[in-house]
């Protein structure tokens, strides 16, 4: 994939990921059913890809199988909490809460490697903290936006844990195979709880869940994996920070969730923090190489 096509692909992936909350809201399903449907359709798409790809895969160890199972369970919980945040606080609030994920990943990685964050990373953490305070309309625990922001931030924390587990334990496995295995675990573990509710879904519900699983999951993650072959991981992370921008815009245009000035200001700080963390991570890698 040429560099220009890779840049277009990663921007398209960020756009599609920014629409996750919108399609989840349009499906009008419960967080459980949205998570189940998203995982099911993503798995079907990735399984067909691996089937027609026809290339033999290397055998996985028991340890890798165990980590794939754990990551699949974390993915299910992460998605369910995110869509729960959407149902309570709205698409924009959930998107901004999830945008704090790089800050959580930085903190966890620093604790894991016993490495102190640098000045830029401390600045990024400060920006995220101030940004979260600006996004929250007040300090009331009964405000739906605050509750939605809390669950979205918890979802981001789980995704940070998931990302670090994948980085340190599943890095040698092909990205599509990792996603295929995790989506399989996700929809299988949710099947007993989702099965009694499936008859309540209408045709349009299924359509939005299919779009969510095929476009915003399987296709988007395939674009990210292919782009990483031509673009640095730090650059990809910076572009993916635009996901929150697309989420706010989509909620504003299609769901009439008009953001306040404080929300826009807070979102700008959180996105800026993501850029700083990505740049600081890229600098750290160059120093260590």
């Amino acid at each position: 994939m040429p560099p220009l096509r890779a840049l277009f692909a990663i921007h398209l992936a960020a756009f599609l990921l920014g629409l996750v909350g919108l399609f989840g809201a349009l499906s009008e399903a419960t967080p459980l059913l949205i998570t189940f449907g998203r995982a099911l359709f993503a798995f079907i798409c990735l399984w067909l890809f691996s089937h027609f790809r026809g290339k033999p895969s290397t055998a996985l160890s028991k340890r890798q199988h165990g980590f794939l199972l754990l990551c699949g369970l974390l993915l299910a919980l992460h998605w369910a909490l995110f869509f729960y945040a959407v149902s309570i606080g709205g698409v924009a609030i959930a998107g901004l809460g999830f945008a704090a994920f790089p800050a959580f990943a930085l903190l966890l990685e620093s604790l894991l490697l016993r490495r102190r964050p640098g000045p830029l990373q401390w600045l990024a953490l400060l920006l995220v903290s101030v940004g979260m305070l600006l996004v929250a309309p007040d300090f009331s625990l009964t405000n739906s936006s605050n509750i939605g922001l809390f669950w979205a931030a918890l979802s981001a924390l789980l995704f940070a844990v998931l990302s670090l587990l994948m980085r340190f334990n599943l890095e040698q496995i092909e990205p599509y195979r990792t996603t295929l295995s995790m989506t399989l675990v996700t929809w299988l573990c949710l099947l007993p709880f989702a099965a009694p509710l499936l008859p309540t879904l209408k045709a349009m519900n299924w359509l939005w869940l299919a779009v969510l699983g095929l476009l915003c999951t399987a296709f988007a993650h395939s674009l990210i994996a292919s782009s990483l072959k031509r673009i640095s991981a730090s650059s990809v992370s910076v572009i993916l920070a635009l996901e929150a921008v697309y989420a706010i815009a989509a909620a504003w245009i299609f769901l009439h969730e008009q953001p306040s000035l404080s929300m826009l200001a807070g979102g700008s700080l959180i996105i800026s923090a993501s850029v700083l963390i990505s740049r600081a991570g890229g600098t750290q890698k160059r120093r260590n190489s």
Side-chain angles (χ1 to χ4, degrees):
M1 180 181 289
L4 284 178
R5 286 182 59 188
L7 280 173
F8 174 77
I10 197 62
H11 276 284
L12 179 57
F15 173 72
L16 292 174
L17 290 174
L19 298 181
V20 166
L22 173 65
F23 290 134
L26 290 175
S27 70
E28 297 181 346
T30 64
L32 170 65
L33 287 177
I34 297 173
T35 302
F36 171 81
R38 182 184 185 184
L40 176 63
F41 283 108
F43 169 77
I44 292 172
C45 180
L46 291 169
W47 181 85
L48 289 173
F49 170 76
S50 63
H51 179 74
F52 289 107
R53 192 167 180 251
K55 294 183 179 180
S57 299
T58 56
L60 301 180
S61 65
K62 291 182 179 180
R63 183 174 181 273
Q64 289 173 320
H65 278 296
F67 274 109
L68 284 172
L69 176 61
L70 176 60
C71 288
L73 295 174
L74 285 174
L75 181 67
L77 188 55
H78 152 62
W79 279 354
L81 288 180
F82 177 78
F83 290 120
Y84 184 61
V86 170
S87 68
I88 294 178
V91 173
I93 288 289
L96 287 173
F98 177 71
F101 140 72
F104 289 130
L106 168 62
L107 283 174
L108 292 174
E109 187 177 32
S110 298
L111 291 173
L112 184 64
L113 300 179
R114 297 180 181 179
R115 184 176 61 198
R116 287 187 177 183
L120 282 180
Q121 294 168 322
W122 279 118
L123 175 59
L125 293 174
L126 176 63
L127 290 177
V128 169
S129 301
V130 176
M132 285 289 192
L133 291 176
L134 288 174
V135 169
D138 52 49
F139 295 100
S140 173
L141 296 178
T142 59
N143 187 290
S144 60
S145 295
N146 288 350
I147 298 174
L149 185 63
F150 168 78
W151 289 111
L154 184 57
S155 169
L157 176 60
L158 285 175
F159 189 70
V161 174
L162 172 62
S163 299
L164 291 177
L165 283 175
M166 292 171 60
R167 175 184 170 187
F168 291 111
N169 300 282
L170 303 174
E171 195 174 26
Q172 296 179 346
I173 305 176
E174 294 174 291
Y176 87 90
R177 192 178 182 189
T178 301
T179 309
L180 173 70
S181 301
M182 290 194 303
T183 52
L184 172 63
V185 172
T186 296
W187 75 262
L188 278 179
C189 73
L190 293 180
L191 181 60
F193 309 100
L197 304 175
L198 292 180
T200 64
L201 291 176
K202 300 178 182 178
M204 284 302 298
N205 302 135
W206 283 109
L207 174 63
W208 292 123
L209 292 178
V211 170
L212 188 59
L214 299 178
L215 284 182
C216 299
T217 307
F219 184 55
H221 285 278
S222 298
L223 290 175
I224 294 171
S226 60
S227 298
L228 282 169
K229 297 177 182 178
R230 300 303 302 269
I231 307 175
S232 66
S234 60
S235 298
V236 168
S237 299
V238 170
I239 296 172
L240 289 178
L242 295 173
E243 175 187 341
V245 176
Y246 293 129
I248 294 174
W252 193 349
I253 295 171
F254 296 103
L255 301 177
H256 308 292
E257 294 182 8
Q258 184 173 354
S260 64
L261 289 177
S262 63
M263 184 187 298
L264 292 175
S268 299
L269 292 179
I270 294 171
I271 294 167
S272 299
S274 299
V275 174
L276 277 178
I277 290 171
S278 300
R279 289 303 184 191
T283 303
Q284 184 67 35
K285 286 182 179 179
R286 287 193 293 271
R287 288 175 179 171
N288 294 338
S289 60

